Amino acid sequence: MENIRNFCIIAHIDHGKSTLADRLLEFTNTVTARDLQAQVLDDMDLERERGITIKSHAIQMDFEKQGIKYVLNLIDTPGHVDFSYEVSRSIAACEGALLVVDAAQGIQAQTISNLYLALENDLHIIPVLNKIDLPSAEPEVVKDQIVDLIGCDRDEIIHASAKTGIGIEDILDAIINRVPAPTGDPKAPLKALIFDSVFNSFRGIIAYFKVMDGEIHKNDLVKFVATGMQYEADEIGILKLEKTPKQKIGAGDVGYIISGIKEAREVKVGDTITHVKRPCEKAVEGFEDVKPMVFAGIYPVDTDEYEDLRTSIEKLQLNDASLVFEPEASAALGFGFRCGFLGMLHMEIIQERLEREFDMTVITTVPNVSYHAYLTSGDFMEVNNPSDFPDPSKLDRIEEPYIKATIITKSDFIGSIMTLCIGKRGMLINQSYLTTDRVELIFEMPLAEIVFDFYDKLKSISKGYASFDYHPIGYKQSHLVRLDIRLNGDPVDALSALIHRDHAYSFGKKMCEKLKELITRQQFEIAIQASIGSKIIARETVKALRKDVTAKCYGGDISRKRKLLEKQKEGKKRMRQVGSIEIPQQAFLAVLKLD
Amino acid sequence: MAGVYFHIPFCRQACTYCDFHFSVNLSNISEVIEAMQSEIHQRNKYLPESSNIESIYFGGGTPSIVDVKHIEGLIESISKQYSLADRCEITLEGNPDDLTLAKLKELSSIGINRLSIGMQSIDNITLNFMNRSHDASQSIQSVRNAFDAGINNISVDLIYGVPDRSTSQWESELKEVLKLPVTHLSAYSLTVEDKTVLGKMVKEKTVVMPEDEFISKQFHILNTLASEYGFEHYEISNLAKPGYHSVHNSNYWNAIPYIGIGPGAHSFDGSSRSWNVKSNKAYTQKVSKGSGFNTTEYLTKDQIFNEYIMTHLRIAHGVDLEFVKTILNENELRKFNNIIDEVVIAGYASIQENYFKLSIDGWLICDTISVKLFK
């Protein structure tokens, strides 16, 4: 156990985490450059495209130094706020962390919140200044930031360039010398922390764990504490580039277990594995049932595909337990599902996976958060769908979830960020300078405002420099109204949104304008109206189509024109007929792209 | 039955709206024509040897700017390769400023029996806006010259839906033209293409294209006025006196094979479409090497069906519902019939003797209806 080192990498997106991981794997001969995919740890297509590690993984490296053989377990962490709970469990499995900071960009909000998590878990931090070979690198300035933040000595900071391989050996040496070996009692009853799980279509759910105490053997009868489920450990092993089966995994080490589990929801990140016969007294602390934060309806574009959609979402849920869903019916869209997501990125990922992996064409309705409604009758209800919003006359009060938002930015942008956050009903709680030109702003604001196009706006007003992180802080009373959209007089429930009273008028107006842009001319005129109750607050008109193209169509035009029209036909497949009106798929999310 | 298309890729100047392939460098005309001669030879297997050529069409570009001997040479080569039908339609596109009486007599003597005149307008302001190389009086004179030269099958191109040109002006121009000895009209609404001067002007908002309603009105005027002068509106943008429908263009819509010779020319052999490289330089180089100037696309059954729908909605004759029945399966046919019923009820079409025919308003939204009916 004294030769095991468990560590993770804390870094902002694009600061070079994946590249650094690749170099460590190469240097320790865990993989060769040849079989290295662009980024080994990100093996989902979607992840590689987005450059974000969505689901964390782990990999074991062997490294020999001065005749001593070390086992290094690198535990990868997802890099987006939607997945912060999973990050916290990965961190809890480690004794050390590489804090990787881009020498040109400096410390970002996401990095700081993960760093705090690491410090809370008593991880030893090894600061690494990456991309020092960039012409725009400002190593001294960024070193100041790091020293300020973690109180280390300047010379503890390792200079590296994951791209060119500078500093890789120094990092490995630091991991061995500075990160403490895991502690734990090999003789105590088994206590292992599940920090991640993946779905394999042949083997079922594979859970990744770290043994805190005791040891696990192949064929042991084990119990998952939170779910209470019992399994036989059909296969256990360690994670090299491929899974490597073992007879035993001892205290302090990291491994995987396969026990014929079919559904992801049986394996909860943060849960504890113990023996049925000799269970541990206390489970690993910090377990939480992850709750969805954002809800939206998902409907098939073609109503015939409802059952296919159900099957696809069920399959997705097998490997993504954080996705929850229940059937719902919409007057406009027919039958579909109300789904709960960890956040907006998670929602986009699910939509994309449905389209790519299951070839489903779906409509996602306006997302909303979960509201608490208190009725005059004394009843309480959770509102996850604008259609369920109670009649205002029966409503005593409504509460909405709030978050604490941390924004780190260059001081130049404070003014415009303040304007943005206050416009989003934010309240400034704290403002502190990290360095002379970097400021940390802390706001309390409604989660619902983050859902509506906050992140993109923040990025654009700060020219990409501001970074952002948030944590839920509970519910607060609010003044909300339901804004409905009517097309030719008929309300389209899938376009309804719950909005703060003070924003309803401008929101309704923008929504009508946006829909006018997105709904193509049809053979009749279309009136787009926004209303609160029976009161119309905004209106736009899409004029009737009188003419498309009446150009020539001769020899050379035929194939070009056919292709153009076939493309339009493809586009039409992504439209949903509501009454007699065809609405393009993206109109349902128009609300997210309002200026 | 088969047709031959020659693409003559040269123009004196670029029209504002045109995205066809052409070059204003006239120094290498001979070279390109030579390459076209070679292409005829190299692709002698494209059409079956037994093909009876019903039409030859010289399009462009501006075929009237090249020497008549070049045109003559190309016709000769084709007639050596294939047999020409007795009444083979041989059309040449020309610009009014090229069409002198002398030139037209020459053209007539080598067998050109149909003329397509790029008139576009008989209003100088409009011609100027389009950057045409001729003026209104040349437009009118060219038709008279052609008639005097003994070419009595005369088509003129006209453009409507032009910014800042009133509907009454379109009407009066159209009347003037219909009084001339013309047998055929090709009338197009001005279309904004991306990589053109007009495209740029629209993007930069220095030109605002007219509203749909305006264009729709001019299209209706075209239909009504031309029929008063005895013209049949036989395809969205083609109108002719009885007996003067364009054989060549009709064959395009009826999926008759044709070979296209010259840079950027398209060919169709009944099951695949192919097209030549668009650059004059690349074309001559690759033809001299004997390969690589031509790309082919094999059509799927669905694509063949879609092309049928697209072209037959455009012609007055309409879509043959018996034929559609032989292509679609039960489920597809049910959907197809539902759509045509909707279109008929909305007043955009009628069904006559098992042909589905669009009305004038239906033609105006022909693309939308095509898309609905595509497989």
Side-chain angles (χ1 to χ4, degrees):
Chain A
M1 194 159 63
E2 61 272 21
N3 295 337
I4 296 175
R5 298 292 180 271
N6 299 314
F7 70 103
C8 59
I9 304 176
I10 296 172
H12 188 69
I13 298 162
D14 296 337
H15 281 199
K17 181 175 72 172
S18 301
T19 320
L20 177 61
D22 290 351
R23 287 298 97 74
L24 294 174
L25 298 181
E26 263 176 37
F27 197 90
T28 55
N29 297 319
T30 312
V31 295
T32 61
R34 197 165 54 87
D35 54 25
L36 194 72
Q37 280 182 292
Q39 289 171 355
V40 167
L41 293 181
D42 298 351
D43 62 4
M44 256 163 88
D45 279 354
L46 208 59
E47 289 177 29
R48 211 171 302 122
E49 278 171 34
R50 285 170 180 264
I52 307 165
T53 315
I54 298 163
K55 289 287 286 176
S56 52
H57 298 269
I59 194 159
Q60 190 173 94
M61 296 170 261
D62 295 321
F63 185 57
E64 195 173 316
K65 193 78 185 179
Q66 289 159 344
I68 305 171
K69 285 181 179 168
Y70 292 93
V71 170
L72 311 182
N73 290 306
L74 167 56
I75 296 170
D76 197 21
T77 54
H80 191 274
V81 280
D82 284 4
F83 306 100
S84 55
Y85 174 70
E86 296 192 8
V87 178
S88 80
R89 296 303 83 204
S90 296
I91 284 175
C94 299
E95 284 79 40
L98 300 176
L99 172 67
V100 177
V101 182
D102 183 310
Q105 292 186 26
I107 291 176
Q108 308 288 317
Q110 181 76 64
T111 322
I112 294 196
S113 59
N114 287 346
L115 175 68
Y116 287 160
L117 268 177
L119 291 170
E120 276 169 33
N121 282 276
D122 290 328
L123 266 53
H124 183 90
I125 309 294
I126 300 170
V128 175
L129 197 56
N130 194 24
K131 305 195 189 181
I132 51 146
D133 54 334
L134 280 187
S136 55
E138 294 184 299
E140 295 313 313
V141 175
V142 178
K143 271 175 151 179
D144 285 342
Q145 292 174 11
I146 295 173
V147 170
D148 280 357
L149 197 64
I150 60 172
C152 63
D153 287 337
R154 288 183 85 83
D155 56 13
E156 284 178 45
I157 303 170
I158 300 172
H159 281 214
S161 164
K163 208 170 146 202
T164 59
I166 300 171
I168 300 302
E169 192 166 10
D170 296 340
I171 292 172
L172 285 165
D173 287 347
I175 292 169
I176 288 167
N177 297 327
R178 298 194 215 163
V179 174
T183 53
D185 181 354
K187 301 272 186 300
L190 173 67
K191 175 154 94 174
L193 165 69
I194 298 176
F195 61 84
D196 196 11
S197 69
V198 293
F199 174 80
N200 179 301
S201 43
F202 301 106
R203 321 253 354 228
I205 307 294
I206 303 170
Y208 296 168
F209 61 83
K210 181 201 175 186
V211 181
M212 312 300 272
D213 288 319
E215 50 185 46
I216 182 168
H217 293 257
K218 184 173 166 25
N219 298 330
D220 278 356
L221 194 60
V222 295
K223 183 170 86 173
F224 288 13
V225 176
T227 61
M229 304 288 279
Q230 296 187 5
Y231 308 96
E232 194 180 303
D234 297 338
E235 180 179 320
I236 57 169
I238 56 167
L239 298 143
K240 296 282 190 175
L241 192 56
E242 304 286 332
K243 288 182 284 294
T244 311
K246 294 278 176 192
Q247 291 300 314
K248 173 194 112 170
I249 310 282
D253 209 351
V254 168
Y256 70 89
I257 176 169
I258 299 175
S259 45
I261 304 173
K262 298 276 186 303
E263 294 195 26
R265 60 186 138 192
E266 289 182 35
V267 180
K268 294 185 188 272
V269 168
D271 200 354
T272 303
I273 307 175
T274 191
H275 281 130
V276 172
K277 279 193 180 151
R278 190 177 163 235
C280 56
E281 271 179 32
K282 257 180 74 187
V284 184
E285 281 175 19
F287 173 76
E288 279 175 34
D289 241 334
V290 187
K291 275 200 178 144
M293 305 288 278
V294 175
F295 296 82
I298 292 189
Y299 289 81
V301 165
D302 187 345
T303 46
D304 297 350
E305 291 183 345
Y306 173 74
E307 282 306 325
D308 295 342
L309 178 61
R310 178 201 293 278
T311 316
S312 308
I313 296 181
E314 277 169 356
K315 279 190 187 152
L316 262 184
Q317 204 187 37
L318 289 182
N319 66 21
D320 185 348
S322 48
L323 168 68
V324 299
F325 71 96
E326 58 180 38
E328 75 169 359
S330 149
L333 299 177
F335 293 105
F337 300 94
R338 175 106 328 216
C339 300
F341 311 96
L342 297 179
M344 291 302 288
L345 179 72
H346 189 216
M347 179 175 112
E348 279 175 43
I349 290 166
I350 296 293
Q351 185 173 352
E352 271 191 59
R353 290 187 64 189
L354 281 171
E355 302 214 339
R356 286 193 199 193
E357 296 170 31
F358 298 93
D359 200 22
M360 298 295 307
T361 310
V362 297
I363 288 167
T364 309
T365 65
V366 180
N368 57 265
V369 299
S370 181
Y371 297 94
H372 289 173
Y374 297 88
L375 306 182
T376 45
S377 62
D379 288 345
F380 163 81
M381 61 187 279
E382 210 167 83
V383 179
N384 291 336
N385 183 343
S387 335
D388 298 339
F389 193 68
D391 184 335
S393 64
K394 291 178 184 150
L395 195 63
D396 175 47
R397 66 179 195 282
I398 187 134
E399 292 183 351
E400 64 176 324
Y402 266 67
I403 53 161
K404 188 173 108 178
T406 307
I407 296 166
I408 294 179
T409 179
K410 271 192 169 174
S411 48
D412 307 358
F413 304 119
I414 294 181
S416 41
I417 289 174
M418 292 273 223
T419 311
L420 172 69
C421 291
I422 290 164
K424 295 278 190 184
R425 298 190 280 142
M427 260 182 42
L428 184 66
I429 301 301
N430 192 25
Q431 171 176 357
S432 57
Y433 278 80
L434 301 174
T435 62
T436 48
D437 69 339
R438 289 178 71 78
V439 183
E440 182 187 61
L441 301 168
I442 296 178
F443 288 91
E444 281 185 13
M445 53 200 293
L447 175 65
E449 297 287 347
I450 305 296
V451 171
F452 291 153
D453 197 23
F454 175 76
Y455 200 43
D456 287 346
K457 276 201 178 132
L458 178 67
K459 266 199 194 152
S460 82
I461 60 172
S462 66
K463 303 195 168 63
Y465 282 112
S467 60
F468 167 69
D469 188 33
Y470 69 81
H471 293 283
I473 52 168
Y475 277 72
K476 290 188 181 187
Q477 192 175 341
S478 191
H479 296 285
L480 299 171
V481 292
R482 189 176 82 205
L483 184 97
D484 294 321
I485 297 292
R486 295 158 185 261
L487 297 180
N488 283 350
D490 299 327
V492 179
D493 55 1
L495 289 169
S496 294
L498 298 178
I499 294 292
H500 192 267
R501 199 173 51 192
D502 298 348
H503 291 183
Y505 277 82
S506 67
F507 184 86
K509 189 164 173 287
K510 284 183 198 160
M511 187 82 180
C512 289
E513 286 166 3
K514 191 73 193 181
L515 287 169
K516 183 186 176 180
E517 240 175 71
L518 291 171
I519 296 176
T520 48
R521 285 186 168 201
Q522 290 164 39
Q523 279 129 273
F524 42 82
E525 188 174 282
I526 301 165
I528 305 168
Q529 295 166 310
S531 67
I532 298 170
S534 57
K535 191 174 168 198
I536 306 294
I537 59 165
R539 177 190 166 121
E540 292 286 340
T541 307
V542 179
K543 286 212 250 169
L545 172 74
R546 289 274 174 256
K547 171 227 140 221
D548 39 40
V549 181
T550 41
K552 62 199 162 41
C553 184
Y554 303 136
D557 305 312
I558 292 177
S559 130
R560 179 170 86 150
K561 197 171 173 77
R562 189 200 73 230
K563 282 174 192 156
L564 188 81
L565 297 183
E566 281 171 346
K567 211 169 150 193
Q568 285 181 20
K569 177 95 187 175
E570 267 314 297
K572 273 221 185 273
K573 286 187 187 153
R574 308 180 80 85
M575 289 204 194
R576 184 57 188 269
Q577 185 121 6
V578 176
S580 54
I581 302 168
E582 280 173 339
I583 307 179
Q585 188 190 29
Q586 71 266 36
F588 292 95
L589 285 173
V591 65
L592 298 179
K593 303 285 176 205
L594 300 176
D595 301 322
Chain B
M1 285 195 298
V4 178
Y5 175 77
F6 288 110
H7 191 76
I8 309 294
F10 297 100
C11 286
R12 280 214 175 78
Q13 61 195 57
C15 302
T16 317
Y17 51 85
C18 180
D19 73 339
F20 265 41
H21 167 63
F22 63 89
S23 162
V24 289
N25 172 11
L26 306 185
S27 64
N28 52 4
I29 291 181
S30 303
E31 246 175 275
V32 172
I33 299 285
E34 210 174 295
M36 287 169 70
Q37 287 284 8
S38 168
E39 188 191 348
I40 297 174
H41 194 68
Q42 289 179 36
R43 295 178 69 199
N44 61 3
K45 297 276 187 297
Y46 187 80
L47 297 174
E49 232 169 273
S50 59
S51 294
N52 192 26
I53 303 298
E54 279 192 301
S55 73
I56 298 174
Y57 195 102
F58 290 89
T62 315
S64 58
I65 63 177
V66 307
D67 282 349
V68 174
K69 62 167 198 243
H70 289 316
I71 304 291
E72 187 178 18
L74 291 169
I75 297 175
E76 259 175 34
S77 300
I78 285 298
S79 48
K80 275 182 201 156
Q81 198 96 45
Y82 306 101
S83 66
L84 301 197
D86 278 351
R87 297 168 63 187
C88 181
E89 176 189 279
I90 306 179
T91 308
L92 181 120
E93 285 182 351
N95 273 359
D97 46 333
D98 293 324
L99 300 175
T100 59
L101 186 59
K103 174 116 184 179
L104 285 160
K105 280 182 174 166
E106 261 189 276
L107 286 169
S108 173
S109 72
I110 62 157
I112 299 295
N113 54 26
R114 186 172 181 271
L115 209 59
S116 170
I117 302 177
M119 183 182 276
Q120 318 309 353
S121 168
I122 48 169
D123 169 59
N124 281 332
I125 297 172
T126 307
L127 289 169
N128 204 28
F129 167 76
M130 293 176 182
N131 197 35
R132 299 289 302 179
S133 57
H134 57 95
D135 61 21
S137 63
Q138 285 172 318
S139 289
I140 292 165
Q141 190 56 45
S142 63
V143 175
R144 301 222 163 96
N145 288 347
F147 194 74
D148 292 345
I151 302 176
N152 60 10
N153 190 355
I154 302 167
S155 176
V156 297
D157 287 354
L158 293 175
I159 295 182
Y160 59 95
V162 178
D164 299 327
R165 189 169 61 160
S166 70
T167 298
S168 60
Q169 196 199 324
W170 162 242
E171 192 169 353
S172 67
E173 277 187 51
L174 190 58
K175 264 187 194 159
E176 283 303 304
V177 172
L178 287 165
K179 285 178 192 160
L180 297 170
V182 295
T183 50
H184 190 278
L185 284 181
S186 291
Y188 317 112
S189 80
L190 183 61
T191 307
V192 183
E193 304 288 353
D194 267 355
K195 287 169 189 157
T196 60
V197 176
L198 179 64
K200 195 164 170 249
M201 292 193 292
V202 169
K203 212 177 210 171
E204 288 168 357
K205 300 196 171 136
T206 53
V207 162
V208 178
M209 289 301 287
E211 293 276 328
D212 287 5
E213 287 69 18
F214 179 91
I215 292 161
S216 151
K217 207 166 171 194
Q218 298 195 348
F219 185 66
H220 275 277
I221 288 171
L222 168 71
N223 175 266
T224 319
L225 209 53
S227 75
E228 279 172 25
Y229 282 81
F231 280 73
E232 296 164 347
H233 201 159
Y234 70 103
E235 195 258 2
I236 289 185
S237 38
N238 285 266
L239 305 93
K241 291 208 167 148
Y244 288 96
H245 293 200
S246 161
V247 173
H248 191 80
N249 290 346
S250 298
N251 285 353
Y252 284 141
W253 308 319
N254 289 314
I256 307 290
Y258 57 91
I259 184 168
I261 304 286
H266 284 241
S267 305
F268 175 64
D269 67 0
S271 58
S272 72
R273 295 193 179 277
S274 51
W275 49 91
N276 290 347
V277 56
K278 269 189 173 183
S279 132
N280 289 0
K281 201 175 161 197
Y283 171 78
T284 42
Q285 280 174 357
K286 290 186 172 172
V287 169
S288 73
K289 275 194 208 144
S291 68
F293 57 87
N294 191 282
T295 311
T296 302
E297 173 191 36
Y298 295 89
L299 299 176
T300 64
K301 279 185 179 166
D302 286 359
Q303 287 169 335
I304 290 173
F305 177 79
N306 289 349
E307 288 189 354
Y308 174 82
I309 292 295
M310 184 179 87
T311 51
H312 284 68
L313 286 178
R314 290 178 63 99
I315 59 182
H317 203 55
V319 169
D320 181 355
L321 296 177
E322 280 305 318
F323 171 73
V324 169
K325 252 193 225 170
T326 64
I327 303 290
L328 300 183
N329 68 33
E330 206 176 309
N331 191 28
E332 289 167 338
L333 189 64
R334 191 170 41 82
K335 283 188 182 168
F336 187 94
N337 285 334
N338 285 343
I339 297 166
I340 64 172
D341 285 348
E342 268 174 41
V343 176
V344 169
I345 290 165
Y348 291 112
S350 60
I351 295 170
Q352 293 166 30
E353 286 161 12
N354 232 359
Y355 276 82
F356 175 67
K357 304 177 182 204
L358 295 189
S359 65
I360 298 301
D361 281 324
W363 264 347
L364 279 163
I365 56 165
C366 183
D367 284 1
T368 302
I369 297 169
S370 298
V371 168
K372 282 180 194 274
L373 295 174
F374 266 24
K375 268 181 92 164

